[in-house]
Each structure stands twice: as C-alpha cells, then as structure tokens.
Amino acid sequence: MAEAIAFYTLSALIIGFAILVITTREAVHSVLFLVLNLLCVAMLYVLLHAQFLAVIQVLVYVGGIVVLYLFVVMLVNLKRPAEANRDPRRRGRLGVVLSALILGELAAIAAWGFAVPSAAAPGPGLRADNVEQIGMLLYTDYLIPFEVASILLLVAMVGAIVLAKREAR
Amino acid sequence: MITPAHYMILSAALFVIGIIGVMTRRNIIIVLMSIELILNAVNINLVAFSSQVQNGIGQVFAIFVIAVAAAETAVGLGIILAFYRNKETVNIDEMSIMRW
C-alpha cells in the first residue's frame, strides 16, 4: 500500500515536471524543472531497490549534466527568443497526434504483455548489497563494455573541447 | 500492487513527452533536454525489469545509458556553442546549412 502511494505520487511528479520542461518559455526554467524531474526519477530508483543507481543519477545528472545545461543557457544570451519566428512547414499538432498514437501503442503492448504473466527466469537474485553486486557485474562480466564506455567518455570530452574552443588567429 | 506494467506505462508516458518536446520545440537546448527525458524513460524500464527478474544486469545497462547520455550532452552542447558563435541563434529551423 505504501509502495503504491509512493509510486503514484512520484509518477505524477515525474510526468508533471516533464510536461513543464517542454512547455515553459524560459530555457532556465526548463533546466530547473529538469532537475526536479531527475530527482523524482532517482527516488523512483530507490523504490525499485536500485540505491546505487539513484546516487549515480543525482551525482551525474543533477550534479554534472544539468550544470552543463545551465552554463550553456547562460552563455547563449539570446537577444530574441528562439521561438519567435514560426516556420509554417513545421506541424506541431501532427507531432502531438503522432506522439499520442505511440503512447497508445506502448500502453497496449504493456497491458497485453502483462495480461499473461510470463514465468520470469529466476536470476542470481538482487541482494541487499546493491553496490557490491553492481561492482561485481561491472568488473567481471561487463568489463569490456565498461572500458568502451570510458573510451567513449574520453572521446566525448576531447570532442567537446575541440568543438567549443575558439580557433587561434 | 505495483507491477512492471505500471512502470512501463510511466516510462512510455515520459518517452512520449520527450518525443513531443523534440518535435514541437525550436530551442535546440530544450530539444536536447527532451532527449534526456527519453533516455530517462529507457532507464526506468531497465531498472523496473532488473527489479522484476531479480537480476542486476539491467542496472548495469542503466549505468551505461547514463554514461552515453553524459557524452551526448557534452558533445551536443559543444556543437550548440560552436553554432551560436557563428550564427547567433539556437533556433533549429535556422540550422539548415547542411540541408541538401
């Protein structure tokens, strides 16, 4: 019961903040609503017994990525708002209708898929020591993807510096 | 009782909100934030199924998704800064110099 109350409250907050992210006019307000949205998702991870992921979510997203967004919003000082001139070729309403179709499709898949409960293969089991379990998986079975991810981050870092650097004259 | 179907529907709703943001907004910074929403929807699904099948692999993949999201944000914001320096705009309708 308590789980249901927590789930529905967090879901309402997540959906509400997500809608605010894409509807507010000011980009700074959007970034701040994104922070609240990501924090609610982190709480949802705690509800799912993924404590380590919740901490990573707060550290990486809220502490890192969102600060990057704020920097760029501050640096890109707009004299005129980006939404000012409307392109007649863009069809916003069609986009919303198509998105609603996708939502219906996904919900139908979810509803029908779980009408017949499939026997889930019992895995090794989620233990209470979540961090240790994820560490064991990351450094044994998933060592190569882990190293590839670190190379990806290095390449992205170099690429971002090269892109944002001014050319020496 | 909260089943994975509940998490899937929440994730689908978040995913679709992200798609609406990508398709309807013209400020490229907000488009990038909508992509973050989409990646978060994927992560909710991964963690929900990881919890359902009692297996930590889904959480490992969610960590990879977060790493890729961080890389994507860094490069994307670098591109936005480079473009803004040349064209003084963040409107995606004006970013058509590579259109054939």
Side-chain angles (χ1 to χ4, degrees), chain A residues 8 22 24 37-38 45 53 57 61 77 79 82-83 85 87 90 95 99 125 130 134 142 164 166, chain B residues 6 8 16 20 23 25 27 32 36-37 40 43 47 54 57 59 63 84-85 88 91 93-94 99:
Chain A
Y8 286 119
I22 66 165
T24 42
N37 181 20
L38 296 171
Y45 290 160
L53 207 58
Q57 171 97 356
Y61 266 114
N77 182 20
K79 288 161 211 87
E83 319 277 338
N85 49 345
D87 186 343
R90 284 185 77 89
S99 311
N130 184 253
I134 289 182
Y142 293 92
R166 278 177 206 280
Chain B
H6 289 78
M8 274 181 79
V16 169
I20 293 173
M23 290 204 290
R25 294 304 300 261
N27 188 336
L32 267 185
E36 299 293 334
L37 291 180
N40 259 288
N43 269 350
V47 178
Q54 297 282 302
I57 295 172
Q59 296 179 27
I63 290 174
Y84 181 76
R85 202 171 291 139
E88 298 272 310
N91 188 332
D93 287 333
E94 293 170 26
R99 191 188 300 174

Side-chain angles (χ1 to χ4, degrees), chain A residues 52-132:
Chain A
F52 178 65
L53 207 58
V55 173
I56 290 290
Q57 171 97 356
V58 173
L59 280 179
V60 174
Y61 266 114
V62 183
I65 293 180
V66 168
V67 173
L68 215 59
Y69 274 112
L70 272 180
F71 267 122
V72 172
V73 170
M74 303 290 177
L75 282 175
V76 178
N77 182 20
L78 288 176
K79 288 161 211 87
R80 67 197 161 86
E83 319 277 338
N85 49 345
R86 306 187 72 84
D87 186 343
R89 282 169 300 179
R90 284 185 77 89
R91 287 176 173 76
R93 286 211 186 84
L94 184 66
V96 171
V97 169
L98 286 177
S99 311
L101 269 178
I102 294 174
L103 176 64
E105 231 173 284
L106 290 173
I109 291 171
W112 280 329
F114 282 91
V116 189
S118 59
L126 274 183
R127 297 195 302 271
D129 45 356
N130 184 253
V131 181
E132 188 188 334

Side-chain angles (χ1 to χ4, degrees), chain A residues 13-24 37, chain B residues 14 17 37:
Chain A
L13 286 174
I14 288 171
I15 300 288
F17 286 134
I19 289 171
L20 283 171
V21 166
I22 66 165
T23 51
T24 42
N37 181 20
Chain B
L14 194 56
I17 290 171
L37 291 180

Side-chain angles (χ1 to χ4, degrees), chain A residues 25-36:
Chain A
R25 291 280 124 196
E26 289 273 325
V28 181
H29 296 173
S30 264
V31 178
L32 296 178
F33 283 125
L34 187 68
V35 172
L36 293 172

Side-chain angles (χ1 to χ4, degrees), chain B residues 12-51:
Chain B
L14 194 56
F15 187 88
V16 169
I17 290 171
I19 289 180
I20 293 173
V22 169
M23 290 204 290
T24 57
R25 294 304 300 261
R26 283 168 201 76
N27 188 336
I28 191 164
I29 300 174
I30 294 176
V31 171
L32 267 185
M33 280 193 267
S34 304
I35 295 173
E36 299 293 334
L37 291 180
I38 293 174
L39 290 170
N40 259 288
V42 173
N43 269 350
I44 289 175
N45 249 354
L46 284 171
V47 178
F49 281 112
S50 156
S51 173

Side-chain angles (χ1 to χ4, degrees), chain A residues 134-145:
Chain A
I134 289 182
M136 282 302 288
L137 277 170
L138 265 183
Y139 288 105
T140 55
D141 293 351
Y142 293 92
L143 182 63
I144 291 173

